[in-house]
């Protein structure tokens, strides 16, 4: 669908006899954050082992693979490639052996100075195995003369700028690090005596773990046989949590940045109805992305909420397209309109974002073809501006989008409305997607500048 792609998901557990299995389940819950590659590394207290594969969690692991990954601690990663290409060599965890011993790293985020660091490291003689920016951290780690693996991690990560939520596994420690801005989420949980660190709380729910708190921006957690230690080795920085986690990236059943995604997203919908009311008969979410906001919109507008579009959940794999032309086939294979709900009605379609507008255009046409009298599009975030969507040239003004997608009206939630909806901590969010102003300077002279902005997001 016409959306931002999700970013990576990380999971780490220390002190559980089923560490690999629980990591597998945690990654299963985080699958929405990346579907290109998956991997798990475990430690039995002596050696680390890793298994990585392209594709989905359920396809990459079977019982025998999980059994082979023995040990009481594990880290795992689901990847959507935001930096480096998407082949298996860039899948994580990346496992290396060096003077500090073996270490496996899982990273959610992108380093804006990775290229600079990489060029310097290559000049110094480093040989890179991957094109991923995460490997830069491992080279810095391996070169560190610090007296312990923990100190070497801090020394290497201190040289990185940008977004990093990391889980690292050594022979006898699980270490979590979150950048001082706190761009990407990272949260802490507990299952019996075991500690868990992961991207979203939905991963804790699946394994019946208790949520304790977020790993704070700039915090390093060192979890070992002696318990958990928290240190704050970095200079404090302005918090810049990615607001897009609340708009779209995270699952609605998660808490991110210690706030319920469902509640925030529903409030986006309420606020949208306050800002852009419309005479209509029914509110219809574009599933699944528009459901929370549509619920809030309908509640605030006093209109019925009906599932006028049904999503086929089994799409994704290849299918054989017919030679015969079928109207709206491309979108209909994913969404089918419910004529009994749409026919003769003035319909408000609610979605969480429009990136290029091409899918929205097809949906509007399909809803009209199913008999809707009017189609009004309401979007529960402000229009994104170019640096955050791969340089695709998107019409920014609602009127251009309205004409392009062929709706009777189009309204976006305002930036002020978005910030009002996230509550009292509004100044701790990054909204650069909507403003083009970045909390961490990105190198403007690079050809990849537009992409870097998005990488920073992820
Ligand atoms: S630029 Fe957008 S996607 Fe990136 S961190 Fe900021 S809000 Fe999130």
């Amino acid at each position: 669908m016409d959306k931002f792609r999700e970013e990576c998901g990380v999971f780490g557990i220390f002190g559980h006899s089923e560490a690999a299995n629980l990591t597998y389940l945690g990654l299963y819950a985080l699958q929405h954050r990346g579907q290109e590659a998956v991997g798990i590394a475990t430690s039995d207290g002596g050696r680390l082992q890793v298994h990585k594969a392209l594709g989905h969690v359920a396809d990459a692991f079977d019982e025998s693979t999980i059994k082979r990954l023995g040990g009481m601690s594990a880290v795992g990663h689901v990847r959507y490639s935001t930096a480096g290409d998407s082949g298996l060599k860039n899948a994580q965890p990346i496992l290396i052996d060096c003077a500090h011993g073996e270490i496996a790293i899982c990273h959610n985020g992108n380093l804006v100075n990775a290229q600079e660091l990489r060029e310097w490291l290559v000049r110094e003689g480093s040989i890179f195995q991957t094109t991923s920016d995460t490997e830069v951290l491992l080279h810095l780690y391996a070169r560190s003369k610090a007296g312990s693996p923990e100190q070497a991690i801090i020394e290497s990560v201190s040289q990185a700028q940008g977004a990093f939520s990391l889980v690292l596994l050594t022979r006898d420690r699980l270490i979590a690090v979150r950048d001082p801005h706190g761009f990407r989420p990272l949260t802490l949980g507990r299952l019996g005596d075991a500690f868990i660190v992961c991207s979203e709380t939905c991963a804790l729910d699946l394994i019946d773990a208790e949520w304790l708190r977020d790993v704070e921006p700039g915090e390093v957690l060192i979890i070992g046989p002696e318990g958990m230690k928290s240190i704050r080795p970095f200079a404090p920085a302005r918090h810049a949590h990615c607001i897009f986690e609340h708009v779209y990236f995270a699952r609605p059943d998660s808490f991110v940045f210690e706030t319920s995604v469902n509640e925030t997203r529903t409030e986006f919908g309420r606020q949208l109805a306050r800002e852009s009311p419309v005479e209509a008969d029914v509110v219809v979410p574009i599933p699944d992305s528009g459901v929370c906001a549509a619920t809030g919109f309908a509640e605030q507008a006093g209109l019925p909420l009906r599932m006028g579009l049904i999503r086929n959940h089994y799409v994704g794999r290849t299918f054989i397209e017919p030679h015969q032309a079928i109207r709206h086939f491309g979108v209909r294979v994913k969404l089918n309109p419910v004529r009994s709900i749409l026919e003769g009605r003035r319909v408000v379609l609610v979605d969480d974002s429009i990136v290029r507008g091409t899918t929205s255009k097809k949906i509007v046409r399909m809803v009209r073809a199913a008999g809707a009298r009017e189609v009004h599009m309401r979007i529960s975030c402000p229009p994104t501006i170019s640096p955050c969507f791969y340089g695709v040239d998107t019409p920014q003004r609602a009127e251009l989008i309205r004409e392009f997608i062929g709706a009777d009206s189009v309204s976006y939630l305002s930036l002020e409305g978005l910030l009002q909806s996230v509550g009292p901590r509004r100044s701790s969010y990054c909204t650069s997607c909507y403003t083009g102003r970045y909390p961490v300077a990105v190198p403007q002279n690079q050809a990849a500048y537009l992409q870097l902005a998005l990488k920073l997001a992820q």
Side-chain angles (χ1 to χ4, degrees):
M1 299 295 272
D2 183 13
K3 294 284 181 196
F4 270 143
R5 304 289 295 270
E6 288 97 312
E7 64 285 272
C8 302
V10 298
F11 186 96
I13 183 164
F14 186 91
H16 199 288
S17 56
E18 283 196 274
N21 205 348
L22 295 174
T23 303
Y24 162 80
L25 291 173
L27 295 178
Y28 199 87
L30 296 173
Q31 185 78 82
H32 61 289
R33 297 184 73 87
Q35 297 93 44
E36 288 186 354
V38 53
I40 295 177
T42 56
S43 170
D44 60 8
R47 295 305 308 257
L48 267 63
Q49 293 186 78
V50 68
H51 176 80
K52 296 189 270 191
L54 292 176
H56 289 204
V57 179
D59 302 327
F61 292 91
D62 56 23
E63 237 176 303
S64 66
T65 329
I66 296 283
K67 240 187 212 142
R68 272 203 310 276
L69 292 169
M72 297 280 286
S73 53
V75 291
H77 189 266
V78 284
R79 172 173 169 84
Y80 165 66
S81 65
T82 54
D85 49 49
S86 55
L88 189 56
K89 73 175 177 179
N90 280 336
Q92 297 187 20
I94 306 175
L95 171 61
I96 61 149
D97 196 0
C98 67
H100 302 291
E102 284 187 305
I103 190 164
I105 187 169
C106 301
H107 176 199
N108 177 200
N110 276 90
L111 310 180
V112 294
N113 63 340
Q115 191 56 29
E116 207 179 303
L117 289 170
R118 189 184 181 105
E119 282 165 13
W120 175 76
L121 285 161
V122 168
R123 278 199 305 275
E124 292 291 305
S126 294
I127 299 168
F128 278 80
Q129 303 285 321
T130 77
T131 54
S132 131
D133 61 343
T134 310
E135 194 186 351
V136 165
L137 295 173
L138 291 176
H139 283 274
L140 294 171
Y141 172 78
R143 293 170 59 91
S144 167
K145 301 280 183 286
S148 69
E150 294 80 20
Q151 279 309 321
I153 289 168
I154 291 165
E155 198 182 293
S156 53
V157 168
S158 299
Q159 297 169 64
Q161 288 163 15
F164 48 89
S165 281
L166 303 167
V167 291
L168 303 113
L169 185 68
T170 65
R171 185 177 58 80
D172 57 357
R173 299 272 186 286
L174 172 68
I175 296 157
V177 187
R178 192 160 170 224
D179 70 73
H181 296 281
F183 281 108
R184 318 296 347 159
L186 194 63
T187 203
L188 175 68
R190 193 164 189 151
L191 180 61
D193 292 332
F195 282 106
I196 294 143
V197 180
C198 56
S199 297
E200 294 182 32
T201 58
C202 64
L204 299 175
D205 294 340
L206 182 61
I207 59 170
D208 214 10
E210 176 197 357
W211 177 44
L212 298 176
R213 64 174 176 87
D214 273 4
V215 178
E216 290 181 15
E219 184 176 19
V220 177
L221 287 179
I222 301 163
I223 302 164
E226 65 289 334
M228 185 173 73
K229 187 165 89 184
S230 161
I231 51 174
R232 281 154 208 284
F234 311 117
R238 180 174 87 71
H239 290 180
H241 308 317
C242 172
I243 206 157
F244 230 82
E245 292 282 350
H246 277 300
V247 172
Y248 172 66
F249 289 151
R251 258 173 56 165
D253 49 335
S254 283
F255 278 67
V256 295
F257 314 129
E258 304 199 329
T259 308
S260 156
V261 176
N262 174 64
E263 291 313 307
T264 312
R265 229 168 255 176
T266 307
E267 184 55 27
F268 290 161
R270 288 191 203 103
Q271 181 64 20
L272 184 60
R274 282 181 216 115
E275 289 181 6
S276 304
V278 58
E279 289 282 322
D281 304 308
V282 64
V283 176
V284 171
I286 295 187
D288 295 326
S289 51
V291 172
C292 298
T295 308
F297 192 101
E299 185 189 304
Q300 182 68 34
L303 291 170
L305 175 79
R306 303 291 300 277
M307 299 306 284
L309 290 165
I310 300 301
R311 183 176 154 205
N312 181 349
H313 286 264
Y314 303 98
V315 181
R317 306 305 158 98
T318 47
F319 51 83
I320 301 156
E321 267 198 61
H323 292 299
Q324 184 190 324
I326 297 178
R327 280 195 317 149
H328 315 300
F329 181 75
V331 69
R332 182 168 290 200
V333 77
K334 296 170 193 145
L335 294 177
N336 201 28
V338 183
R339 186 170 275 277
S340 65
I341 292 175
L342 302 169
E343 196 158 31
R345 304 246 157 72
R346 296 169 300 172
V347 177
V348 186
L349 287 179
V350 180
D351 205 356
D352 60 359
S353 56
I354 295 183
V355 177
R356 283 177 304 240
T358 42
T359 303
S360 311
K361 181 179 183 164
K362 289 176 192 159
I363 293 171
V364 169
R365 274 200 202 145
M366 194 172 69
V367 168
R368 282 200 199 282
R373 196 144 54 86
E374 291 174 18
V375 183
H376 302 273
M377 183 68 101
R378 292 293 178 270
I379 304 298
S380 62
C381 75
T384 41
I385 63 170
S386 63
C388 256
F389 46 94
Y390 300 108
V392 176
D393 188 17
T394 299
Q396 289 168 35
R397 289 189 297 126
E399 182 52 26
L400 290 180
I401 276 279
R402 190 199 67 70
E403 271 174 31
F404 179 66
I405 69 173
D408 292 289
S409 74
V410 172
S411 296
Y412 290 86
L413 182 61
S414 68
L415 182 58
E416 178 52 33
L418 185 82
L419 287 170
Q420 215 170 298
S421 307
V422 294
R425 294 198 300 163
R426 51 183 285 165
S427 61
S428 59
Y429 281 90
C430 171
T431 55
S432 306
C433 277
Y434 311 119
T435 63
R437 292 190 296 276
Y438 288 85
V440 171
V442 288
Q444 305 245 4
N445 58 346
Q446 292 194 13
Y449 168 63
L450 291 180
Q451 292 227 5
L452 271 175
L454 180 62
K455 289 171 185 177
L456 175 61
Q458 300 176 332

